[in-house]
Amino acid sequence: MDPSEVEFLAEKELVKIIPNFNLDKLYLIGGDLGPFNPGLPLYVPVWLALNLKQRQKCRVVPPDWMDVEKLEEMRELERNAATFTPAPCPYYMELTKLLLNHASDNIPKADEIRTLVKDIWDTRIAKLRLSADSFITQQEAHAKLDNLTLMEINTIRGFLLESLNCMYKLRSNLQPGSSKGPLADY
Amino acid sequence: MSNPLSDNDPNQEECQEDDMTPADLIAKLEEAWLNEKFSPELLANQAEVVECVMEQLTHMEANLQRVKKGDPKASIHRMEIDRIRFVLCSYLRSRLQKIEKFYPHVLEKEKSRSKGEPALLSPEEFAFAKEYAANTESHLKSVALSHMPPILQTLDMLKAVPAPCLDSFVFLRVKESQENILVEPETDDQREYVVDLEEGSQHLMRYRTIAPLISSGAAQLI
């Protein structure tokens, strides 16, 4: 899956905005939105929030977890835990990138948040690499991946699945009499 | 009907047999999209979902035709339409890619399907698969096979084209708890064991083990 497609899915998340215009209720296929009144906060999908923001029609309110103190706490937790701690939000990396790139003027301490999220991401990816390594060396057949976000799975997907398939192919050729007909090519 | 954008009350739509709101419908389409993207084999086609989404899109576009130029609502509706259309196209495209890759197996499966079982392919996809198969075979014949000794001129496409590898690993999220899923061992000196899949948990395992959960909707590939 392309990272931009993961980002596409992240854009469905709701974010709070404060519009500066008047608009009646919208009847979108995916559900109703609005009405929009100047100064009255409401939740809209990120794709709409960013569009309005780019046209300077709203202010974006950062999500609760996008806060220096909370993220610092999570970073410590993530560093000290052996397993994955629950991510701040299922799309934390994508939303940080989207909101900070397009609405950084509405987010206090944007640079600090960027660094903190990057730290959390790096710690988690390091853990992910380690567990992928032990998954392969121990030749496991099942792994539980709770608390991993889609973007994290996606960064390792291509490489991990491909190597597992290769190893499977090599192994099934080693065991005599276990040929299962032609396998997918790669 | 002063404003064409306010009269598309979702409950007035036609495709409402199972009390599905358009929002549920879009969620269904996205689920089908991700499942199709990540499953090694071609899944059963979601004709009803595709049809209903198309209907929603046409309906909305017809409404947009009647809107005055420069209406701020119209641009938002257009953006939503574009997003839905992207998912729809990507879904259909990934199906076509799989049909091209595995066409002899897909056609074989469709032929051996007993009556009453849901169709694997939509009529359009079936026509595409048949045509693709005929074209590939006649191309192979005219380019290579006809120049070979007669004894080598037969070609069994089912053997020549690799079948989808159902033993591939996939990532999945569980939507309805499952108990006692058998995990086959990777090597001879390991023993098979069972796992329980809790609702909301995520797993990495072989597609073959959980394929029934995907088609029943109890799990979702991610």
Side-chain angles (χ1 to χ4, degrees), chain B residues 55-119:
Chain B
E55 208 167 276
Q56 290 281 346
L57 288 177
T58 348
H59 182 87
M60 186 56 95
E61 267 168 357
N63 277 345
L64 283 176
Q65 290 288 319
R66 291 185 275 138
V67 178
K68 281 187 256 86
K69 268 212 159 139
D71 188 330
K73 280 180 168 182
S75 69
I76 298 177
H77 280 282
R78 276 220 179 85
M79 275 202 306
E80 196 202 20
I81 290 180
D82 288 344
R83 287 177 62 86
I84 296 172
R85 181 160 294 146
F86 165 75
V87 176
L88 188 64
C89 291
S90 181
Y91 170 66
L92 294 174
R93 215 180 295 124
S94 64
R95 289 183 61 83
L96 287 183
Q97 271 165 3
K98 278 190 205 167
I99 294 175
E100 285 186 7
K101 202 167 167 195
F102 303 122
Y103 69 90
H105 308 278
V106 169
L107 284 172
E108 183 65 24
K109 211 171 165 185
E110 187 73 357
K111 262 183 228 152
S112 59
R113 168 173 69 92
S114 55
K115 271 195 182 154
E117 260 181 86

Side-chain angles (χ1 to χ4, degrees), chain A residues 6-7 14 28 31-32 34 36 43-44 60-61 63 71 81 99-102 107 114 120 146 149-150 161 174 176 180:
Chain A
V6 185
E7 204 173 86
L14 295 181
L28 293 181
D32 302 349
F36 298 82
Y43 282 94
V44 297
V60 176
V61 182
L71 286 174
L99 295 182
L100 289 186
N101 281 356
H102 298 285
I107 298 168
R114 203 188 291 265
I120 295 179
D146 287 358
T149 65
L150 190 54
L161 298 189
L174 271 181
K180 288 178 178 147

Side-chain angles (χ1 to χ4, degrees), chain A residues 5 8 11-12 25 27-30 47 138-143 145-146 148 157 165 168 171 183-184, chain B residues 22 30 34 37 73 77 80 83 87 162-163 167-168 171 184 186-187 190 201-204 206 222:
Chain A
E5 287 169 320
F8 175 86
E11 282 169 3
K12 282 191 319 178
K25 204 166 179 181
Y27 299 93
L28 293 181
I29 301 177
W47 57 267
Q138 293 176 16
Q139 307 199 336
E140 293 284 352
H142 166 255
L145 305 161
D146 287 358
L148 272 180
R157 182 195 316 274
N165 284 345
Y168 174 74
R171 234 182 353 251
L183 291 164
Chain B
E30 272 168 12
L34 292 178
K37 238 179 164 21
K73 280 180 168 182
H77 280 282
E80 196 202 20
R83 287 177 62 86
V87 176
D167 283 304
S168 319
F171 293 98
E184 280 180 37
E186 283 293 289
T187 52
Q190 287 173 349
S201 60
Q202 305 183 125
H203 303 265
L204 167 65
R206 290 199 183 285
I222 52 173

Side-chain angles (χ1 to χ4, degrees), chain A residues 92-136:
Chain A
Y92 73 101
M93 195 59 190
E94 303 89 305
L95 289 185
T96 309
K97 194 175 155 240
L98 287 169
L99 295 182
L100 289 186
N101 281 356
H102 298 285
S104 56
D105 50 333
N106 294 155
I107 298 168
K109 303 191 185 165
D111 287 337
E112 272 176 69
I113 287 175
R114 203 188 291 265
T115 324
L116 279 168
V117 169
K118 182 82 171 66
D119 283 350
I120 295 179
W121 168 265
D122 285 345
T123 318
R124 290 170 68 92
I125 291 296
K127 279 185 197 173
L128 185 56
R129 292 213 177 102
L130 271 180
S131 38
D133 181 55
S134 71
F135 183 81
I136 288 190

